Amino acid sequence: EVQLVQSGGDLVQPGGSLRLSCVVSGINFGSYWMTWVRQAPGKGLEWVATINQDGTEHYSVDSVKGRFTISRENADNSVFLQMNSLRTEDTAVYYCARGRDYGDYWGQGTLVTVSS
Amino acid sequence: DIQMTQSPSTLSASVGDRVTITCRASQTISDWLAWYRQKPGEAPKLLIYRASTLERGVPSRFSGSGSGTEFTLTISGLQPDDFATYYCQQYNSYSWGFGQGTKVEIK
């Protein structure tokens, strides 16, 4: 069974940092692209970032460029989202998902709240 | 950036109804389109990818069609489990773009 288990969400002040984790089991993790998607409270889905199988390629939405970094550690079957210089508008549930073109498996989501 | 426009935003229907949701892209995306269903408090669930390919394990009452800029998701025989929000998602140049969502409500 494929499972994506997320952690790391928290309440953080504007300008702060947070690191989200997503541990994947049940697949050959190193064979797949991985993606982060977020959803602000009561809003729709927004793509955040994507990383290739060996971590040498990564892409992100303009609104997080220079602040968020996607990375992975294949030895630990994990993908990460390092979030710096957080803003109130980054408040959302963040999901990790397997895939480059679409997400066929998703984590349970983790809530990031940016507020003073 | 490619914009995705879904319609309608809200749809009222009854169990057993056939419903259709439309998604339009601001420029051609070939068949790089997926559909998801999301229930409150849950992660999205993939239904259709490459515009018309049914994801493994998804009931056959779901079907997708279209290419280029216009796409549809059809649910033939709405079930209680289907009252949820549906999103289309395009893939282009290593980025994703989602439609704004269609909420399917009980009439």
Side-chain angles (χ1 to χ4, degrees), chain B residues 70-91:
Chain B
E70 187 149 340
F71 303 86
T72 58
L73 172 70
T74 299
I75 309 172
S76 301
L78 204 62
Q79 297 300 300
D81 205 34
D82 300 332
F83 292 98
T85 300
Y86 293 81
Y87 293 94
C88 63
Q89 173 243 313
Q90 61 83 13
Y91 165 73

Side-chain angles (χ1 to χ4, degrees), chain B residues 43-102:
Chain B
K45 174 183 170 58
L46 179 68
L47 303 172
I48 303 281
Y49 61 94
R50 296 298 296 271
S52 60
T53 302
L54 192 67
E55 169 69 349
R56 185 171 47 192
V58 173
S60 59
R61 64 180 181 272
F62 293 94
S63 62
S65 65
S67 67
T69 61
E70 187 149 340
F71 303 86
T72 58
L73 172 70
T74 299
I75 309 172
S76 301
L78 204 62
Q79 297 300 300
D81 205 34
D82 300 332
F83 292 98
T85 300
Y86 293 81
Y87 293 94
C88 63
Q89 173 243 313
Q90 61 83 13
Y91 165 73
N92 177 263
S93 298
Y94 301 102
S95 69
W96 298 5
F98 290 93
Q100 77 276 20
T102 295

Side-chain angles (χ1 to χ4, degrees), chain B residues 11-15 17 83 105-107:
Chain B
L11 187 162
S12 296
S14 302
V15 172
D17 283 355
F83 292 98
E105 298 180 328
I106 300 174
K107 184 186 286 184

Side-chain angles (χ1 to χ4, degrees), chain A residues 2-6 22-24 34-39 45-47 93-99 102-109, chain B residues 34-38 42-47 87 89 96 98:
Chain A
V2 180
Q3 285 193 314
L4 286 71
V5 179
Q6 298 181 227
C22 173
V23 179
V24 183
M34 296 295 296
T35 293
W36 287 94
V37 171
R38 66 184 178 183
Q39 187 169 37
L45 301 167
E46 180 185 31
W47 171 75
V93 173
Y94 285 73
Y95 296 100
C96 60
R98 183 183 85 164
Y102 51 83
D104 55 0
Y105 292 98
W106 293 65
Q108 83 279 15
Chain B
W35 289 97
Y36 301 88
R37 178 180 71 185
Q38 187 181 33
E42 296 185 5
K45 174 183 170 58
L46 179 68
L47 303 172
Y87 293 94
Q89 173 243 313
W96 298 5
F98 290 93

Side-chain angles (χ1 to χ4, degrees), chain A:
Chain A
E1 180 192 7
V2 180
Q3 285 193 314
L4 286 71
V5 179
Q6 298 181 227
S7 61
D10 205 347
L11 169 64
V12 61
Q13 292 189 338
S17 298
L18 213 52
R19 189 193 198 209
L20 305 184
S21 300
C22 173
V23 179
V24 183
S25 59
I27 60 169
N28 182 7
F29 176 72
S31 296
Y32 295 94
W33 289 65
M34 296 295 296
T35 293
W36 287 94
V37 171
R38 66 184 178 183
Q39 187 169 37
K43 302 297 185 184
L45 301 167
E46 180 185 31
W47 171 75
V48 176
T50 294
I51 190 166
N52 73 337
Q53 294 94 328
D54 63 5
T56 56
E57 296 180 48
H58 38 85
Y59 306 89
S60 59
V61 67
D62 286 348
S63 61
V64 308
K65 279 187 169 71
R67 302 189 300 123
F68 290 11
T69 302
I70 187 172
S71 63
R72 65 191 296 159
E73 179 52 69
N74 287 348
D76 293 333
N77 291 344
S78 297
V79 61
F80 308 100
L81 187 66
Q82 177 66 43
M83 304 186 295
N84 298 330
S85 302
L86 281 159
R87 305 168 179 168
T88 55
E89 57 264 36
D90 296 319
T91 293
V93 173
Y94 285 73
Y95 296 100
C96 60
R98 183 183 85 164
R100 182 195 69 175
D101 309 341
Y102 51 83
D104 55 0
Y105 292 98
W106 293 65
Q108 83 279 15
T110 190
L111 176 62
V112 173
T113 304
V114 185
S115 174
S116 54

